[in-house]
Amino acid sequence: MTVPMPDQLPSAQDRIAMGRAIPTTDDELMGHLAAAMSRILEPGPGPASTERIGKIAGRVAQFPNLDRITLTMSGYRIRAEATNYNPPPEAPLTVPTVATVPAVLGRFEVHAHLVEVIGIPVSLDLEALRVPIAWETDRTGDVWLTTPEDPIARSAQQATTGTVDRPEATFSAQVNIAAARAGIRSFILTEAAGSKVKIRDVDVNLSQQGDGFRVSALAKARYAILSAKVTAQATLQIDERNFTATLTGLQVRSSNPVVALVLAFVAKKITGYEGHTVDLNDLIKDSGLRFAALDVTIRGEDLRLSGRLA
């Protein structure tokens, strides 16, 4: 089924609307999924749009479980309201849930090629097995497909549905560094357009340095009659065995003496992040999964990430 793209769409939601009943046929399931995807995706600009692909495959299993959902897309971009950094004021309120039916999605696949996220083209392949899901009915009678966030609820769900094996997932993602730099630059300039500090230009660069990545940035800004160049750099070291990330070598500088004085106070605050280590598993703890393997590297002009979750 090809994803339809109507002109007027409601705000994106973190649950998928499923009508007034749990779908019992493949056609019902795919119809609701297609409508949900049309709220998240819109046609992307540029050459990729000439080869646009949007397909959904879904298959139900023994009620209330689902056998498979496969999403294949290329040449689209994720709508701004679906990225959560700038939610629209008209976003609908959630109606309280009155009934929940636990279930399991046997296989979930995503194959995305050059799908834009805040202006950055990303390619992603994801396969997840035995994904806990839930059918929620709100007090108006509408049914929603969602995933339980509470680990205790997930354990109870596995007992209820008879699922013994834990969920697991594999993923690989690829981002062109030059395209990412252009996307980040455009995003920063757009977000800063209405501020008192006028950013005239900005550039971000990424390079591999041993087992880490060096990030550097240059910005040209003006505030009233004051203008200056500001440079910042840091190294992000990723431990692929212990699944941690550590920030080192954090520096912020300017050749303008007045701005340099201001940055000296800023530097005192950000030095607290120097040497700070983040457990990458904490970033995905709500999923109930943990990293079992991780590889992050730069190959040619691309940043590539792959791994396994279990």
Side-chain angles (χ1 to χ4, degrees):
M1 177 181 292
T2 301
V3 178
M5 296 294 170
D7 295 330
Q8 301 296 326
L9 299 168
S11 302
Q13 302 180 17
D14 57 358
R15 303 182 298 172
I16 300 177
M18 285 287 159
R20 306 289 288 183
I22 298 175
T24 56
T25 69
D26 297 348
D27 287 342
E28 289 177 350
L29 174 63
M30 290 190 291
H32 291 306
L33 292 175
M37 292 304 294
S38 70
R39 289 192 290 268
I40 298 173
L41 300 175
E42 64 183 356
S49 63
T50 62
E51 298 180 359
R52 190 174 300 122
I53 298 173
K55 295 182 179 179
I56 292 175
R59 183 186 303 163
V60 299
Q62 182 176 359
F63 186 86
N65 300 320
L66 298 180
D67 179 65
R68 176 192 298 261
I69 293 176
T70 302
L71 308 178
T72 304
M73 64 196 81
S74 177
Y76 285 96
R77 64 183 174 192
I78 297 180
R79 295 177 181 274
E81 63 267 27
T83 58
N84 293 327
Y85 68 83
N86 188 23
E90 70 275 10
L93 298 175
T94 302
V95 178
T97 299
V98 296
T100 301
V101 178
V104 171
L105 168 58
R107 182 185 297 269
F108 176 60
E109 296 181 43
V110 175
H111 305 289
H113 178 64
L114 297 179
V115 173
E116 286 193 10
V117 183
I118 61 169
I120 301 174
V122 177
S123 294
L124 170 68
D125 287 289
L126 168 70
E127 180 183 56
L129 304 177
R130 300 177 294 277
V131 181
I133 60 174
W135 304 102
E136 295 183 350
T137 303
D138 63 30
R139 66 183 181 189
T140 68
D142 288 333
V143 176
W144 304 83
L145 173 60
T146 186
T147 56
E149 296 182 358
D150 184 0
I152 297 178
R154 283 194 296 268
S155 298
Q157 182 178 44
Q158 290 178 349
T160 302
T161 59
T163 304
V164 178
D165 295 330
R166 287 176 51 84
E168 61 178 283
T170 57
F171 67 90
S172 63
Q174 180 174 315
V175 181
N176 180 269
I177 295 176
R181 290 173 61 188
I184 293 172
R185 177 181 181 276
S186 177
F187 175 76
I188 293 176
L189 292 176
T190 300
E191 290 297 301
S195 66
K196 293 182 179 179
V197 178
K198 303 301 181 183
I199 299 179
R200 294 181 295 173
D201 198 9
V202 63
D203 188 24
V204 180
N205 198 18
L206 176 68
S207 60
Q208 193 157 7
Q209 190 175 58
D211 59 350
F213 298 89
R214 186 180 184 84
V215 183
S216 59
L218 170 64
K220 297 178 182 179
R222 172 179 287 275
Y223 179 75
I225 62 172
L226 184 65
S227 62
K229 292 182 180 180
V230 178
T231 60
Q233 63 182 32
T235 299
L236 183 66
Q237 295 180 321
I238 298 179
D239 187 334
E240 297 176 352
R241 292 186 176 182
N242 296 312
F243 312 116
T244 60
T246 305
L247 192 65
T248 61
L250 190 58
Q251 298 179 4
V252 183
R253 292 187 297 235
S254 175
S255 57
N256 185 302
V258 177
V259 176
L261 181 62
V262 175
L263 292 177
F265 289 97
V266 175
K268 291 181 180 180
K269 295 184 178 181
I270 65 177
T271 50
Y273 295 99
E274 176 75 21
H276 181 66
T277 298
V278 175
D279 186 343
L280 299 179
N281 282 311
D282 287 343
L283 304 179
I284 60 171
K285 61 182 179 181
D286 288 342
S287 69
L289 299 173
R290 296 179 64 85
F291 281 101
L294 177 65
D295 180 58
V296 185
T297 187
I298 293 179
R299 296 181 185 176
E301 298 298 320
D302 298 326
L303 173 64
R304 299 186 180 186
L305 300 87
S306 61
R308 183 169 64 87
L309 307 173

